[in-house]
Amino acid sequence: MTTVRPNEKSPAVFLDRDGTIMEDVGYCGRPEQVKIFAGAADALQRLRKHGFKLFIITNQSAVGRGYFTEAQYRVVEAEFLRQVGARLIDGTYFCPDKPDTSSRRRKPAPEMVFEAQREHNLDLSRSFFIGDKDIDIECGRSAGVRTILVQTGYGKDTADCGADWIARDLTQATEIILNNANE
């Protein structure tokens, strides 16, 4: 079990949302579209129990494209948080920028991870990033954390993206983290 003393930096797990924790339905703008993968909430609870802080790092270009508003995104986020469990996620960082804009925050750029690090006193050397796309892996690597590609969402079609590990799903990714947390 990972323990943290007062004033010590905490380890974290950064997670993509769509395709990693919940089904990727394209641009998720309605709460009824939120469907958490089987076992995802239990996996997150195990990580939390072992001392990891949990953060969602997600691109949401549909807001920037005008497909739905930030308020609609927040309604979806609230439903997502309700389904994974109350107070399980320590923070959500999202970027509404479109892919064709110059953005310091949009994945694969690591700025959202660095924001979480500054705001929550995180130890990136003991942290992980889990995602289903190569941009998630690139983001994690650029932030200096270990990376896991899950084969849910786009991950089933991603070949060699440079991830430290490849996992079938979030449950298997959790096992990898717990087996490698102290290395």
Side-chain angles (χ1 to χ4, degrees):
M1 178 161 172
T2 304
T3 58
V4 178
R5 291 185 276 293
N7 298 323
E8 182 181 350
K9 292 184 176 194
S10 300
V13 178
F14 303 97
L15 303 113
D16 173 58
R17 188 188 78 179
D18 302 352
T20 300
I21 302 172
M22 65 178 253
E23 292 179 20
D24 190 333
V25 297
Y27 299 109
C28 186
R30 297 188 326 269
E32 62 270 14
Q33 294 176 298
V34 176
K35 305 260 187 294
I36 303 297
F37 287 129
D42 290 338
L44 295 173
Q45 288 170 355
R46 286 189 68 210
L47 290 168
R48 183 77 156 167
K49 181 180 137 210
H50 283 86
F52 288 93
K53 290 189 174 184
L54 305 175
F55 298 92
I56 305 302
I57 306 291
T58 181
N59 288 341
Q60 293 295 321
S61 69
V63 175
R65 296 171 197 250
Y67 297 166
F68 49 82
T69 66
E70 184 175 335
Q72 288 169 299
Y73 162 76
R74 296 288 182 197
V75 170
V76 168
E77 178 185 22
E79 176 59 19
F80 167 79
L81 294 172
R82 185 193 70 76
Q83 286 188 31
V84 296
R87 296 182 293 281
L88 189 57
I89 303 298
D90 292 283
T92 297
Y93 294 82
F94 85 99
C95 180
D97 300 340
K98 297 186 284 187
D100 58 353
T101 60
S102 176
S103 175
R104 291 183 50 225
R105 295 185 77 243
R106 183 176 169 76
K107 292 184 294 182
E111 185 57 32
M112 290 188 283
V113 172
F114 296 145
E115 287 174 26
Q117 176 193 29
R118 288 189 298 270
E119 294 172 9
H120 296 274
N121 198 31
L122 304 175
D123 182 351
L124 295 184
S125 71
R126 298 187 311 158
S127 297
F128 296 81
F129 196 115
I130 304 172
D132 71 314
K133 294 181 182 174
D134 57 350
I135 62 169
D136 300 318
I137 302 310
E138 186 178 341
C139 176
R141 292 180 74 79
S142 294
V145 303
R146 292 172 279 178
T147 58
I148 304 171
L149 178 78
V150 288
Q151 295 179 312
T152 50
Y154 288 92
K156 61 183 165 234
D157 299 323
T158 302
D160 183 21
C161 64
D164 294 305
W165 295 276
I166 296 177
R168 177 181 56 256
D169 56 18
L170 191 54
T171 299
Q172 188 176 36
T174 295
E175 290 301 320
I176 291 169
I177 290 170
L178 296 180
N179 289 332
N180 293 279
N182 295 319
E183 291 183 11

